[in-house]
Amino acid sequence: MARSLRLLCASVRRESVERGRFVVVHRLTKGRMMRSLLGLGCFLGSVGLLSACANGPGSEALERALMADPQLQSGTSVSSPSPTAVAVPTLPADFPAAIPRYPQAELESVDPATGTTRWRSEATRDRIMRFYQEALQTNGWQLTETALAAGTLTAQQADGLTVTLILQPPTAGAAAGTRFELRYRRGTATTSPATPTSSSPGTSPLTSQDFSDLDQVPPSLRPAVTDLAALGVLTPIAPASATSPPTFAPNQPLTRRDFARWLVMANNRLFRDRPGKQIRLAQATDTPVFEDVPARDPDFAAIQGLAEAGILPSRLSGDSTATQFRPDAPLNRETLLRWKVPLDFRRTLAPATVEAVQETWGFQDASRISPDALRAVLADYQNGDLANIRRVFGFTTLLQPQQQVTRAEGAAALSYFGFQTEGVSAADVLQAEQLARSVNTSRQEAGTVPTGGASAPVMGPTLPHP
């Protein structure tokens, strides 16, 4: 009995399933048929409409509207108007390779007839002026005229090539940045590389910088600072304006950036006729040694050049921890000595100890001097009265190695390079150049030396009086 009931239930379920399948298939089939009929109806209706329109008055217009584009049928491409080409200025083929180019400056226009190139840079006027002062002097150019207030600079090479930098004044409402011109001309050399051209009336001789506040320099340092300013080495703390000359701010702290720049410029200016003692500037394509002094930095050439010469500690000199230069941090006394003294001796400095420094200098705070600065402090003692410590800080029993250096002190340290009887000072270079100019002027007035002829040789520098 139970088995019969199970068979009956199974039969009922199968019948229900089959009916369900039939219903589904029936509904799907019915839906497809309806859609097909609707599509056929639309097609027949369209054909009928078109047939009716073909015999109507607007049939030709309708045919043209629905006709395919003959250009597309023939496979020809539809030409679109080409964009207007924008001329990109390029330097003339005869642009002298010896003229430095400011990094990342954009060339705006060129006038080959007058030898004028116009540029734009995001840098300030002061930074561009500093760059060209440093780059031209280091590469053997002779700066003949400098007017910081007007923003102009003129330099000449021995072969007569002359370049003039003209910084455009800022314009109200104009985009940020600085526009400047580089004008060059080729001509006959009028001076030898070591003899500056005598200045014309109304212009500053050489690259003399007429700072408005040199009277604030401490009296003991004033002659050295004035001489270095007359050589065009020092840069103002604030650029000149149309109504006032630049300021030097002698008693303000000196930054590491400024001292590095002055160090290169002073060394190369005083040894202008001795290439073997000059510091080579780095190129913008060099890989930066310091993470915070990229190639676009206005002082990259000087700072990188000092590092590549081994004057600044860096990974190049084996100091893997010196990855930051901190260009805008104040310079302290022991760092000044560490950078400057090697350029006095021109050789590796001997090791030193705290005891040796105490015994020679008698400094009470010798133990506070950093180990890597001890050898520079000890070596400086061997220079007698020409030692940097004596010339800049006078007699003292306290070095105060971490004391900030003022701008006047840093400049005074750079007014003399050398060891004992072999050295050169800013005062001697000025005296020799003034004498050479005087001799040349006298010869030209007497008619013994024609314009463009050979100049009197510059006398070698002598030791400054302690």
Side-chain angles (χ1 to χ4, degrees):
M1 186 68 177
R3 187 168 180 269
S4 299
L5 289 174
R6 285 196 300 271
L7 291 175
L8 179 61
C9 291
S11 176
V12 172
R13 284 197 298 273
R14 282 196 300 272
E15 184 177 356
S16 300
V17 171
E18 292 299 328
R19 288 181 178 178
R21 289 177 179 172
F22 172 78
V23 171
V24 171
V25 172
H26 176 71
R27 289 178 178 175
L28 289 174
T29 303
K30 185 177 180 180
R32 291 172 182 164
M33 291 179 65
M34 291 297 293
R35 287 196 295 272
S36 299
L37 291 174
L38 287 174
L40 179 60
C42 291
F43 172 74
L44 293 176
S46 301
V47 172
L49 178 61
L50 291 174
S51 299
C53 293
N55 299 322
S59 61
E60 293 182 2
L62 178 62
E63 182 179 358
R64 287 193 300 269
L66 297 177
M67 182 180 297
D69 191 338
Q71 292 184 343
L72 297 178
Q73 286 181 331
S74 62
T76 58
S77 59
V78 180
S79 60
S80 58
S82 57
T84 304
V86 179
V88 178
T90 58
L91 288 174
D94 65 341
F95 185 83
I99 298 179
R101 304 180 197 177
Y102 192 83
Q104 285 81 46
E106 176 185 355
L107 180 63
E108 290 192 328
S109 64
V110 174
D111 185 355
T114 61
T116 301
T117 58
R118 299 176 180 86
W119 307 74
R120 183 185 178 280
S121 172
E122 296 296 331
T124 62
R125 284 164 49 95
D126 183 47
R127 287 192 172 185
I128 296 175
M129 175 65 79
R130 282 188 340 215
F131 169 82
Y132 277 100
Q133 279 184 299
E134 179 180 338
L136 291 170
Q137 288 190 92
T138 300
N139 288 285
W141 289 77
Q142 177 186 307
L143 302 187
T144 58
E145 297 178 12
T146 300
L148 295 179
T152 62
L153 177 152
T154 300
Q156 186 181 50
Q157 282 194 328
D159 60 0
L161 175 63
T162 301
V163 61
T164 299
L165 167 70
I166 302 176
L167 297 171
Q168 301 297 331
T171 305
T178 302
R179 284 183 165 82
F180 62 95
E181 295 182 2
L182 289 176
R183 300 179 181 177
Y184 64 94
R185 69 177 184 274
R186 304 180 187 275
T188 304
T190 58
T191 60
S192 66
T195 307
T197 305
S198 58
S199 57
S200 57
T203 61
S204 300
L206 298 175
T207 56
S208 178
Q209 294 162 330
D210 298 324
F211 295 110
S212 62
D213 55 352
L214 289 186
D215 58 335
Q216 299 177 19
V217 177
S220 61
L221 304 178
R222 193 173 301 162
V225 174
T226 303
D227 291 339
L228 210 59
L231 290 178
V233 170
L234 305 180
T235 48
I237 196 170
S241 65
T243 58
S244 62
T247 56
F248 180 63
N251 300 310
Q252 291 193 20
L254 176 63
T255 64
R256 292 162 60 93
R257 171 196 301 279
D258 285 345
F259 186 72
R261 185 192 325 114
W262 294 357
L263 181 60
V264 172
M265 293 183 67
N267 178 84
N268 293 358
R269 181 70 172 87
L270 269 59
F271 293 107
R272 185 173 62 181
D273 57 343
R274 303 175 69 177
K277 290 195 172 185
Q278 293 182 1
I279 297 171
R280 298 293 183 266
L281 292 178
Q283 302 300 313
T285 55
D286 293 342
T287 302
V289 173
F290 301 109
E291 297 174 353
D292 52 355
V293 185
R296 65 178 180 274
D297 190 285
D299 295 311
F300 171 78
I303 296 172
Q304 179 87 4
L306 287 170
E308 293 181 352
I311 304 301
L312 304 182
S314 69
R315 58 177 175 79
L316 300 179
S317 60
D319 190 345
S320 59
T321 63
T323 59
Q324 300 284 327
F325 180 70
R326 299 181 294 118
D328 298 314
L331 181 79
N332 59 38
R333 290 185 174 185
E334 69 174 19
T335 301
L336 180 152
L337 296 170
R338 186 178 181 183
W339 298 355
K340 171 62 167 53
V341 172
L343 291 174
D344 290 327
F345 285 78
R346 308 282 168 170
R347 57 179 171 80
T348 303
L349 304 180
T353 62
V354 172
E355 292 74 20
V357 171
Q358 288 176 331
E359 183 179 350
T360 52
W361 282 108
F363 291 144
Q364 303 176 43
D365 54 356
S367 60
R368 296 172 52 192
I369 301 174
S370 301
D372 55 2
L374 284 171
R375 61 179 63 198
V377 175
L378 182 62
D380 195 45
Y381 180 82
Q382 302 174 28
N383 227 353
D385 288 337
L386 294 176
N388 294 279
I389 293 176
R390 290 192 175 99
R391 289 189 299 109
V392 178
F393 308 122
F395 172 79
T396 178
T397 61
L398 291 173
L399 179 59
Q400 303 181 71
Q402 304 303 320
Q403 176 72 25
Q404 293 181 1
V405 175
T406 67
R407 290 169 60 86
E409 291 171 340
L414 301 176
S415 65
Y416 175 80
F417 284 80
F419 174 65
Q420 294 183 359
T421 58
E422 297 180 1
V424 57
S425 71
D428 291 319
V429 171
L430 282 173
Q431 183 178 2
E433 292 179 348
Q434 290 169 358
L435 177 60
R437 288 200 307 276
S438 177
V439 171
N440 289 334
T441 301
S442 299
R443 288 180 177 179
Q444 290 178 6
E445 291 176 351
T448 57
V449 177
T451 302
S455 301
V458 177
M459 300 175 59
T462 58
L463 281 174
H465 298 290

